[in-house]
Amino acid sequence: MKAGLKVLDKVEYWLGLCDDNMVSARLLLNGKQYLDTGFFCHQIAEKALKAVVANVTTEVPPRIHDLSKLAERGGIYDDLSEAQLDYLEELNPLNIEARYPDYKTNIAKTMTAQRITKIFKETEGFLCWIKEKLGR
């Protein structure tokens, strides 16, 4: 990201990535690539939270993947419902741990059509909620 981008541009940058990733996640879900769908759902939540961080700070969002920590940095952790906190906790392992063979096989076994469809719908809802918080 260019250093001279305005806050609004930074927010739009992250939200634009979210929208692109939603298209990818939907294609993966329809193709029954459940683990990859989960990875993209994590990416969407992460980028949505980075949009929040970009909105409240002048800094480039940190290069971290822990969703709860990003929510704290963005000042919205206390605004999250219990269901949203559970959702973020469920997503966290789908980013890093799902990349490594030891974890990938075990996580992939838990990615049923029912579970990943629920996660995908929660991701859609979470992104809408973030956009509303940001006035988009």
Side-chain angles (χ1 to χ4, degrees):
M1 200 176 320
K2 293 181 184 177
L5 283 179
K6 296 178 184 175
V7 171
L8 178 63
D9 295 333
K10 291 179 190 177
V11 171
E12 294 304 323
Y13 168 81
W14 290 107
L15 293 178
L17 292 175
C18 290
D19 293 339
D20 291 345
N21 286 174
M22 281 301 301
V23 172
S24 299
R26 184 173 282 108
L27 289 170
L28 289 164
L29 178 62
N30 291 339
K32 299 182 181 183
Q33 300 297 310
Y34 301 143
L35 185 60
D36 292 331
T37 303
F39 174 79
F40 269 88
C41 287
H42 181 284
Q43 290 294 296
I44 294 159
E46 179 180 326
K47 291 167 185 171
L49 290 166
K50 287 183 177 186
V52 172
V53 172
N55 190 57
V56 299
T57 70
T58 57
E59 303 170 7
V60 173
R63 292 181 179 177
I64 61 173
H65 309 289
D66 185 295
L67 302 175
S68 295
K69 288 182 181 176
L70 285 168
E72 288 173 5
R73 288 265 179 104
I76 65 165
Y77 186 86
D78 292 336
D79 297 340
L80 296 169
S81 69
E82 197 64 39
Q84 287 171 321
L85 289 169
D86 290 346
Y87 158 75
L88 296 180
E89 186 176 313
E90 184 174 20
L91 281 184
N92 263 335
L94 300 179
N95 181 43
I96 302 296
E97 292 177 18
R99 296 181 190 185
Y100 297 97
D102 299 358
Y103 300 107
K104 185 176 182 173
T105 303
N106 291 334
I107 291 172
K109 289 177 187 176
T110 70
M111 289 290 115
T112 63
Q114 181 179 1
R115 180 176 180 212
I116 199 60
T117 298
K118 176 183 170 282
I119 289 171
F120 181 82
K121 287 180 180 182
E122 289 173 328
T123 301
E124 286 180 312
F126 185 73
L127 180 56
C128 287
W129 182 78
I130 291 289
K131 286 180 176 181
E132 285 176 15
K133 278 197 102 38
L134 294 171
R136 305 301 190 282

